[in-house]
Amino acid sequence: MQFSKLLTRLSLNANSSLARGLSSNTAAIVKVHRSIYARRYPTMMVLPDGATINLSYHEPRRIIKLPLDLSLLSEAERKARIEKRKPKQKIRIDDDVEDTFSANKYLKYMKKK
């Protein structure tokens, strides 16, 4: 009786350890979802004026870009920034090309078999 209980516990532990080994952390393209990282990572912070600061950050990130405060800009700079954010319109140019090519003109150069 006790042996069968022990055997079922061992089989359950073996199955759960196999299931735990195949997690999303094994994939290289997925972020490891941790709330606390064990070390600090070198990171570059980019300020709105373009200046950069090297610092150590608690999450593995390469670059942190701070947002630009539009209320501090002048009216002309603000309008220019907002225009840059809008999607650009595609320009379509329709050219009407008159085709005067005649294949009958070149039939005399074709070899007959």
Side-chain angles (χ1 to χ4, degrees):
M1 183 89 150
Q2 292 176 352
F3 182 74
S4 63
K5 286 182 182 178
L6 182 63
L7 193 58
T8 55
R9 283 185 188 166
L10 287 175
S11 64
L12 288 175
N13 288 341
N15 290 339
S16 64
S17 66
L18 288 176
R20 267 187 261 159
L22 301 174
S23 68
S24 64
N25 297 340
T26 58
I29 59 172
V30 178
K31 174 187 170 189
V32 178
H33 299 286
R34 295 182 185 161
S35 59
I36 299 172
Y37 287 88
R39 58 180 287 239
R40 298 182 71 79
Y41 300 89
T43 306
M44 181 185 297
M45 183 169 60
V46 181
L47 300 177
D49 63 350
T52 59
I53 300 170
N54 292 323
L55 52 96
S56 62
Y57 196 65
H58 66 278
E59 290 184 6
R61 302 212 176 180
R62 188 65 69 161
I63 294 176
I64 299 173
K65 188 175 179 182
L66 296 178
L68 180 67
D69 188 11
L70 291 177
S71 64
L72 300 176
L73 297 177
S74 67
E75 191 64 32
E77 290 175 340
R78 185 180 302 123
K79 284 183 181 179
R81 289 279 183 167
I82 291 173
E83 283 297 319
K84 281 185 182 179
R85 291 181 183 180
K86 291 182 181 176
K88 296 180 180 177
Q89 294 179 352
K90 293 182 180 178
I91 300 172
R92 290 186 60 201
I93 300 173
D94 295 333
D95 289 336
D96 294 333
V97 178
E98 292 185 24
D99 190 14
T100 59
F101 177 75
S102 175
N104 294 332
K105 214 173 168 184
Y106 297 98
L107 284 177
K108 61 184 177 184
Y109 299 116
M110 300 293 291
K111 290 185 180 179
K112 293 183 181 179
K113 292 186 180 179

